Amino acid sequence: METIATRLAILPFPEIDPVIFTIGPLAIHWYGLAYVAGILIGWFYARRIVQNTALWRNGTPAFNLTQLDDFLLWVAAGIVLGGRIGYILFYDLSSVLQNPIRAIEIWNGGMSFHGGLLGTTLAMIIFARRNAIAVWSLFDVVAAVVPIGLFFGRIANFINGELWGRLSSMPWAIVFPTGGPFPRHPSQLYEAALEGILLLLVLAYFVYRRKALKVPGLVCGIFVCGYAASRIFVEFFREPDAQIGYLAGGWLTMGMVLSLPMALAGIWAIARARRAAATA
């Protein structure tokens, strides 16, 4: 029997076309714009951090603006290639093996944050070694700005009506066009708030108030722990990928499994940073 509370829980999905506009055969999608916006705004914020000498040990940034600008292409490649390859390996390998052309069909699936993180990490390590940059300091600056990209990415997921949440009767639940006739948690917005806005503010506090960049690796460790905790929490409200489902117990998801090692790595990075600072 439908109740007033149930009726109030059903909110219409906002009718936003995933395609912003088209130019001939070229279609500009919100998803692509989210990646561009995240990278460019993150780059601008990173420049501000590097320029602020008061944030760095002995007033000397670990790298200069020219090196940061050169790194922009590297990080873009790491995000896109790592994100797509990670999605295939972690979430869609069987489908790609059956139909290899699916590997480049980004609209059938998408990107994996964990894969993008691995791709970006590899890009940072190689770039740092080639340019004689302290790799932990590069990690810190990139970590401080990543939540910007996460925010835009999750908003794009919401506009696309993908990666929606589990069934819900909460007043803010939404009926997604591809999610059946029942209201669901808008888990994309939960992630945008936690992984994006909240994590960005926490990291900014440590960068500007606690001068955490003077302890190389600390900001990176806080980011990794913060993301892992946020992702594991939201996974309790997010519908698992249909081709994988729950891994165990009707609640354990691939997102949780991939985030747990991140949390442990983040704790290790924080401990390593503090030990290094104590002996410096």
Side-chain angles (χ1 to χ4, degrees):
M1 179 177 180
E2 186 178 52
T3 65
I4 295 178
T6 302
R7 291 181 61 85
L8 290 176
I10 303 177
L11 296 179
F13 181 77
E15 295 183 4
I16 304 176
D17 193 333
V19 178
I20 306 173
F21 59 86
T22 59
I23 304 176
L26 179 64
I28 306 300
H29 293 253
W30 285 106
Y31 201 69
L33 181 62
Y35 271 84
V36 173
I39 291 173
L40 292 181
I41 297 175
W43 167 68
F44 175 77
Y45 181 34
R47 285 178 63 90
R48 296 289 299 271
I49 292 175
V50 173
Q51 287 177 303
N52 192 336
T53 57
L55 301 178
W56 298 89
R57 184 187 299 175
N58 301 322
T60 305
F63 47 93
N64 56 48
L65 293 179
T66 299
Q67 292 171 320
L68 179 62
D69 294 345
D70 291 341
F71 178 63
L72 187 63
L73 182 60
W74 287 69
V75 74
I79 292 172
V80 174
L81 293 177
R84 185 55 185 165
I85 293 172
Y87 183 86
I88 293 171
L89 294 178
F90 300 146
Y91 298 98
D92 205 28
L93 182 59
S94 60
S95 297
V96 173
L97 290 177
Q98 294 175 8
N99 179 23
I101 195 66
R102 186 180 174 89
I104 60 174
E105 296 178 351
I106 297 179
W107 55 91
N108 283 330
M111 309 285 279
S112 161
F113 168 80
H114 298 91
L117 177 64
L118 292 174
T120 303
T121 300
L122 180 60
M124 286 189 287
I125 292 173
I126 296 174
F127 184 84
R129 289 183 175 178
R130 292 185 59 174
N131 292 271
I133 295 173
V135 67
W136 281 107
S137 291
L138 183 58
F139 283 174
D140 286 341
V141 173
V142 172
V145 306
V146 166
I148 296 173
L150 293 176
F151 172 79
F152 283 113
R154 295 311 181 191
I155 294 298
N157 290 148
F158 179 77
I159 292 174
N160 288 348
E162 60 188 6
L163 304 182
W164 21 258
R166 306 181 191 185
L167 298 180
S168 171
S169 61
M170 300 304 293
W172 55 83
I174 291 177
V175 177
F176 290 91
T178 58
F182 303 107
R184 296 178 176 275
H185 284 285
S187 56
Q188 314 97 320
L189 300 184
Y190 299 172
E191 291 187 88
L194 293 177
E195 303 166 7
I197 297 173
L198 180 59
L199 191 52
L200 180 68
L201 294 176
V202 169
L203 294 172
Y205 167 78
F206 278 95
V207 168
Y208 286 96
R209 293 296 183 90
R210 302 294 296 271
K211 300 296 188 293
L213 292 177
K214 296 182 179 182
V215 183
L218 182 57
V219 173
C220 174
I222 294 171
F223 163 75
V224 173
C225 282
Y227 175 84
S230 299
R231 180 62 182 271
I232 291 173
F233 174 76
V234 174
E235 284 291 312
F236 285 101
F237 303 94
R238 178 176 171 177
E239 186 80 9
D241 291 73
Q243 68 272 24
I244 296 179
Y246 295 107
L247 301 183
W251 60 271
L252 183 66
T253 67
M254 179 62 77
M256 293 178 182
V257 171
L258 295 175
S259 295
L260 182 57
M262 280 187 64
L264 298 176
I267 294 172
W268 171 83
I270 292 172
R272 187 219 61 86
R274 289 181 171 175
R275 285 197 304 268
T279 58

